[in-house]
């Protein structure tokens, strides 16, 4: 199943789910990828031994004035410096300041060759009452006022007193903000009439890890946050219904679908209503509010209660009802195959500008047909595993979130809609092949903010990230790969794994050396191209000459089909893997041949039957290898015009 979208011609995203990537037609300028730029932002491949992580427990009280779209609040944070370092400075994100003319996001979106259609030059045309802003009125650490500087979307704090390694401090902030008109991800009055989509709305601590501070200015890409517990109290006009990250704490005061059936709801008197939410072990908090939300709940067996918030609308209200059973099934499939969903709740909230994931919740646009509504919800829901719980730094490893999520989405959707199981990752391969052909690929290890084009970012993160996993299944074999995915989730949940942390889990699971795989497929744009060069033979046997034309080495599966209808499969291990996958594919029957040395451009094997008995020979019959030229992967000795064929 493929749902076409506005950007399907530029990124092949199977379910067109993250409309956050909705782009204008990609400007087809020839872009000279600067090798130097790519190298500058290539990341060191480091796995994290002696792992530690910071912790920040937030208590936020916020009061929204819906007449001027401004809000005031205070945040109390207990911050645990679990690092081995003394901290002399501290940084917070002030994302809403991006929605002002001249901001980094404004400049970036006006100067990149293929701007996001939702942003374009809209920020530069904002009037003051349409701006977003988030400003700090006071800041104390352990009761002492601090000097701070608002550098657009980053709050810089020079600490009066350093925070020593292992220390805990309490941070008190007072803030004021204005909700911008909806431009990107969050804002007021989205295109479907949702009043408030509140993501990136509060002063959010930047993460500090073994690589130091990550105080990236907000230019449009995704996020990285500190693990902690959130207690968020939202006060706003009584007419609104609120959906959010976390679990409601006062259902009998707010009602509106939160109270158990038959329970007596008593809203306090006054014009405003206080909504109390708690979320444990998350790294962000989103909420949305609209007066017209319908609020339904559905239960996943052994899993979360899923809450749905959507408007009454003749075009799609019924679709939102019909989608619920499928989404419940999708969560069951995800929990079984990718690790157990660890929270009590998940909220699917109509809002935002497409589909965007947050811990325990998503904001999606709602005017969709059933496959699209289910597709976007499954995609954003699957982010709970990779963005929500595995929480990789999305500036450095966006593909470990988007790519892995797309992988899980396509498999889950193919289950739900019973589509062709053999090719459910094919769109991802096609998207990757397209950008390779166009010469616009940038490596997976490029910092998300620093790709030259949205096209290169999107194709790397979504398509190549998905291929990265599908191809790894080919390398490791399905049994070890599937066990490895679960081991990865269970080893690194509620932490921040890196690319090598993932690869190390897969190495331990398979007993194979796999670092070369990331070094080529993650850190470079080198490509795979193997081919069958020649067949020659005698009356009793056949010689097959194979070539490696691409720069990236791979282990090779080769399938021979005989004229009597039988098959024989050969596996050619790659020497630097120090082993090969178990015989758990191709009905468990294959012959393991001698290693192919990675340095060697050619390889020869012998088949113990004459060419006259061979119907065809196929290199990579599963097509899971991202071979950029598959034309030379199939040969048939009987094709007399086949110039490869030469009899002895
Ligand atoms: Zn996504």
């Amino acid at each position: 199943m493929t749902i076409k979208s506005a950007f399907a011609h530029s990124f092949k995203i199977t379910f067109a789910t993250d409309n956050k990537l909705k782009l204008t037609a990609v400007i087809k300028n020839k872009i000279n990828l600067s090798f130097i730029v790519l190298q500058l932002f290539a990341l060191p491949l480091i796995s994290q031994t002696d792992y530690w992580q910071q912790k920040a427990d937030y208590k936020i009280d916020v009061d929204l004035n819906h007449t001027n779209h401004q809000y005031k609040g205070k945040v109390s944070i207990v911050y645990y410096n679990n690092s081995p370092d003394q901290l002399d400075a501290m940084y917070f994100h002030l994302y809403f300041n991006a929605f002002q003319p001249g901001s980094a996001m404004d400049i970036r979106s006006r100067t990149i060759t293929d701007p996001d259609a939702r942003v374009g030059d809209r920020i530069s045309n904002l009037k003051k009452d349409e701006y977003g802003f988030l400003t700090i009125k006071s800041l104390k650490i352990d009761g002492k006022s601090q000097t701070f500087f608002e550098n657009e979307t980053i709050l810089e704090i020079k600490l009066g007193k350093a925070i020593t390694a292992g220390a805990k401090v309490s941070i008190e902030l007072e803030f004021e903000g204005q909700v911008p008109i909806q431009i990107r991800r969050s804002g007021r009055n989205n295109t479907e009439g949702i009043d408030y989509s509140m993501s990136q709305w509060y002063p959010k601590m930047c993460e500090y890890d073994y690589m130091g501070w990550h105080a990236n200015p907000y230019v449009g890409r995704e996020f990285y946050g500190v693990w902690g517990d959130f207690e968020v109290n939202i006060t706003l006009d009584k007419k609104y219904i609120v959906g959010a990250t976390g679990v409601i704490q006062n259902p009998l005061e707010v009602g509106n679908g939160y109270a158990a059936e038959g329970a007596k709801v008593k809203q306090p008197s006054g014009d405003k209503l206080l909504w109390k939410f708690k979320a444990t072990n998350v790294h962000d908090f989103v909420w949305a509010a609209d007066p017209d939300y319908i609020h339904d709940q559905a239960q996943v067996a052994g899993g979360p209660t899923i809450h749905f918030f959507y408007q009454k609308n003749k075009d799609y209200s019924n679709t939102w009802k019909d989608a619920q059973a499928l989404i419940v099934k999708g969560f069951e499939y995800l929990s079984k195959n990718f690790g157990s969903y660890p929270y009590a709740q998940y909220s699917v909230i109509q809002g935002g500008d497409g589909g965007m994931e947050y811990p325990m919740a998503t904001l999606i646009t709602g005017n969709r047909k059933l496959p699209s509504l289910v597709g976007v919800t499954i995609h954003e829901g699957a982010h709970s595993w990779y963005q929500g719980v595995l929480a990789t730094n999305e500036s450095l490893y966006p593909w470990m979130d988007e790519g892995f999520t797309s992988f899980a989405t396509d498999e889950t959707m193919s289950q739900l809609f019973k589509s062709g199981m053999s090719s459910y990752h094919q769109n991802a391969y096609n998207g990757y092949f397209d950008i390779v052909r166009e010469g616009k690929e940038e490596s997976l290890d490029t910092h998300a903010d620093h790709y030259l084009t949205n096209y290169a970012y999107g194709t790397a993160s979504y398509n190549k990230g998905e291929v990265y996993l599908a191809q790894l299944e080919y390398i490791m074999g399905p049994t070890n790969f599937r066990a490895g995915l679960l081991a990865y989730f269970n080893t690194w949940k509620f932490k921040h794994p890196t690319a090598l942390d993932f690869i190390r889990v897969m190495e331990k699971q398979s007993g194979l050396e796999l670092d070369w795989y990331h070094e080529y497929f993650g850190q470079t744009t080198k490509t795979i191209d193997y081919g069958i060069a020649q067949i020659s033979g005698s009356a009793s046997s056949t010689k097959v000459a194979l070539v490696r034309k691409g720069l990236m080495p791979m282990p090779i599966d080769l399938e021979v089909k005989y004229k009597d209808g039988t098959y024989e499969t050969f596996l050619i291990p790659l020497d630097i893997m120090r082993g090969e996958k178990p015989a758990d594919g191709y009905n468990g029957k294959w012959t393991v041949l001698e290693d192919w040395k990675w340095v060697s451009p050619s390889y020869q094997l012998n088949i113990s039957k004459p060419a006259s008995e061979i119907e065809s020979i196929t290199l990579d019959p599963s097509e899971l290898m991202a071979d950029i030229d598959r034309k030379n992967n199939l040969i048939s000795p009987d094709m007399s015009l086949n110039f490869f064929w030469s009899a002895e």
Side-chain angles (χ1 to χ4, degrees):
M1 296 240 5
T2 300
I3 299 156
K4 293 277 179 216
S5 78
F7 56 95
H9 66 281
S10 51
F11 310 151
K12 302 285 187 322
I13 299 172
T14 313
F15 296 104
T17 46
D18 272 342
N19 286 352
K20 59 183 151 168
L21 279 168
K22 186 157 49 180
L23 299 178
T24 45
V26 171
I27 298 170
K28 298 282 181 188
N29 286 345
K30 266 268 176 280
I31 294 163
N32 275 322
L33 295 187
S34 159
F35 186 70
I36 295 162
V37 170
L38 295 180
Q39 289 306 302
L40 268 176
F41 295 111
L43 305 170
L45 191 61
I46 299 169
S47 81
Q48 303 177 81
T49 50
D50 299 326
Y51 182 80
W52 50 266
Q53 69 189 18
Q54 307 296 74
K55 185 176 195 312
D57 291 335
Y58 289 74
K59 183 173 182 299
I60 308 178
D61 293 289
V62 62
D63 191 318
L64 173 70
N65 177 349
H66 71 284
T67 57
N68 63 6
H69 313 292
Q70 293 189 0
Y71 57 97
K72 289 183 182 179
K74 56 181 204 287
V75 193
S76 308
I77 301 169
V78 180
Y79 184 64
Y80 300 82
N81 178 18
N82 295 326
S83 82
D85 307 326
Q86 171 173 301
L87 304 180
D88 300 311
M90 186 179 275
Y91 302 90
F92 279 73
H93 297 282
L94 304 173
Y95 293 112
F96 272 4
N97 293 337
F99 301 102
Q100 295 175 15
S103 71
M105 186 190 277
D106 178 29
I107 295 167
R108 178 72 170 155
S109 61
R110 284 188 287 110
T111 53
I112 198 163
T113 52
D114 57 342
D116 184 320
R118 290 164 298 194
V119 185
D121 62 355
R122 288 177 67 210
I123 297 175
S124 57
N125 296 318
L126 289 177
K127 300 183 189 69
K128 273 232 147 139
D129 63 350
E130 299 171 331
Y131 275 24
F133 68 74
L134 182 57
T135 186
I136 304 304
K137 307 313 280 184
S138 71
L139 197 166
K140 289 180 180 170
I141 297 181
D142 285 341
K144 299 214 169 57
S145 291
Q146 303 291 316
T147 312
F148 58 88
F149 173 61
E150 286 175 17
N151 191 349
E152 196 190 293
T153 56
I154 297 293
L155 177 74
E156 303 171 352
I157 307 160
K158 180 124 184 54
L159 294 171
K161 184 178 162 227
I163 304 173
T164 54
K168 171 177 99 171
V169 294
S170 103
I171 305 166
E172 305 280 338
L173 277 161
E174 289 179 312
F175 63 90
E176 286 180 17
Q178 177 168 290
V179 187
I181 61 167
Q182 170 85 39
I183 288 182
R184 193 66 190 91
R185 295 197 177 95
S186 50
R188 67 193 202 235
N189 307 326
N190 87 344
T191 54
E192 297 180 337
I194 301 299
D195 283 13
Y196 293 104
S197 300
M198 298 293 284
S199 56
Q200 296 86 41
W201 58 279
Y202 63 96
K204 178 181 164 184
M205 289 199 75
C206 296
E207 181 60 298
Y208 182 87
D209 64 17
Y210 76 108
M211 295 175 82
W213 285 105
H214 296 272
N216 295 313
Y218 188 33
V219 298
R221 298 278 190 246
E222 297 189 2
F223 308 105
Y224 188 38
V226 187
W227 285 105
D229 299 339
F230 281 69
E231 195 180 325
V232 180
N233 300 320
I234 302 161
T235 302
L236 76 173
D237 191 278
K238 232 176 201 169
K239 70 178 178 180
Y240 288 100
I241 298 162
V242 177
T245 294
V247 176
I248 194 80
Q249 300 299 301
N250 57 340
L252 298 180
E253 288 173 354
V254 297
N256 281 309
Y258 280 109
E261 224 175 312
K264 196 164 154 40
V265 174
K266 190 168 183 307
Q267 291 194 345
S269 58
D271 297 338
K272 287 194 164 181
L273 191 56
L274 168 65
W275 302 69
K276 298 179 173 180
F277 292 93
K278 267 190 188 175
T280 306
N281 223 1
V282 294
H283 50 75
D284 202 359
F285 189 97
V286 67
W287 60 284
D290 193 81
D292 308 317
Y293 276 145
I294 297 168
H295 176 190
D296 295 334
Q297 296 188 25
Q299 185 62 43
V300 179
T305 308
I306 305 183
H307 292 241
F308 297 87
F309 299 86
Y310 57 101
Q311 285 181 319
K312 192 174 168 59
N313 182 295
K314 66 174 170 42
D315 293 330
Y316 56 79
S317 293
N318 286 340
T319 314
W320 275 73
K321 287 265 186 234
D322 295 343
Q324 292 174 17
L326 285 163
I327 291 162
V328 164
K329 266 196 200 163
F331 265 75
E332 285 169 6
Y333 183 85
L334 287 163
S335 271
K336 188 163 168 248
N337 290 282
F338 299 98
S340 184
Y341 181 86
Y343 305 109
Q345 183 172 329
Y346 185 76
S347 294
V348 183
I349 308 168
Q350 187 183 357
D353 57 7
M356 180 62 204
E357 70 278 9
Y358 301 98
M360 300 178 70
T362 178
L363 295 181
I364 63 171
T365 46
N367 187 3
R368 298 163 180 272
K369 300 276 181 253
L370 185 73
S372 168
L373 182 62
V374 175
V376 72
T377 307
I378 292 299
H379 180 91
E380 305 312 335
H383 270 300
S384 297
W385 278 255
Y386 296 104
Q387 187 261 357
V389 176
L390 286 162
T392 50
N393 178 343
E394 293 183 84
S395 298
L396 301 185
Y397 313 103
W399 58 278
M400 292 177 72
D401 177 30
E402 294 302 348
F404 289 16
T405 295
S406 298
F407 180 91
T409 308
D410 283 343
E411 299 204 344
T412 308
M413 285 297 282
S414 70
Q415 287 292 322
L416 295 178
F417 288 84
K418 301 293 175 214
S419 55
M421 289 293 290
S422 60
S423 60
Y424 41 55
H425 300 300
Q426 196 55 53
N427 279 359
Y429 280 82
N430 293 344
Y432 164 66
F433 293 147
D434 283 351
I435 201 166
V436 167
R437 253 193 304 276
E438 292 170 53
K440 292 179 181 172
E441 195 203 354
E442 296 174 59
S443 90
L444 287 185
D445 272 5
T446 308
H447 187 294
D449 291 342
H450 296 281
Y451 279 91
L452 290 176
T453 59
N454 280 315
Y455 177 38
Y457 160 79
T459 308
S461 306
Y462 289 74
N463 298 149
K464 196 178 186 186
E466 181 172 349
V467 172
Y468 189 102
L469 280 193
Q471 183 168 250
L472 193 55
E473 179 164 19
Y474 161 82
I475 294 169
M476 292 171 66
T479 307
N480 280 333
F481 175 75
R482 296 291 156 175
L485 279 185
L486 290 171
Y488 171 53
F489 183 83
N490 290 322
T491 306
W492 284 100
K493 62 187 173 188
F494 305 118
K495 296 177 183 161
H496 294 306
T498 65
L500 192 55
D501 293 327
F502 170 71
I503 284 291
R504 281 297 291 135
V505 171
M506 295 315 227
E507 285 193 336
K508 287 175 190 171
Q509 184 67 45
S510 64
L512 300 170
E513 204 167 320
L514 297 169
D515 47 359
W516 62 274
Y517 180 59
H518 186 76
E519 285 156 7
Y520 274 93
F521 210 61
Q523 295 190 300
T524 76
T525 55
K526 289 172 182 162
T527 53
I528 300 162
D529 181 15
Y530 281 87
I532 303 169
Q534 195 177 50
I535 308 180
S536 54
S538 66
S540 60
S541 70
T542 308
K543 282 183 190 164
V544 183
L546 305 178
V547 286
R548 173 175 62 75
K549 294 170 73 181
L551 292 173
M552 177 168 169
M554 285 288 282
I556 297 297
D557 289 3
L558 194 86
E559 185 181 77
V560 181
K561 185 181 181 191
Y562 296 108
K563 287 178 178 167
D564 64 5
T566 59
Y567 287 85
E568 190 172 11
T569 307
F570 297 93
L571 174 65
I572 307 172
L574 179 65
D575 61 340
I576 49 179
M577 283 171 64
R578 306 288 151 216
E580 67 280 331
K581 61 185 166 186
D584 59 354
Y586 308 109
N587 302 320
K589 282 185 285 183
W590 58 43
T591 306
V592 178
L593 302 175
E594 254 179 61
D595 286 359
W596 186 331
K597 292 186 175 66
W598 77 268
V599 291
S600 180
S602 63
Y603 187 93
Q604 186 158 297
L605 69 112
N606 290 305
I607 296 171
S608 59
K609 289 189 183 179
S612 58
E613 291 183 27
I614 295 171
E615 169 100 22
S616 62
I617 301 174
T618 308
L619 196 154
D620 179 29
S622 68
E623 296 197 342
L624 286 171
M625 194 165 80
D627 188 321
I628 59 164
D629 179 10
R630 287 178 177 157
K631 286 196 300 293
N632 53 12
N633 289 10
L634 174 74
I635 196 166
S636 175
D638 278 352
M639 292 167 64
S640 55
L641 291 177
N642 192 324
F643 66 91
F644 294 118
W645 171 243
S646 64
E648 264 180 3

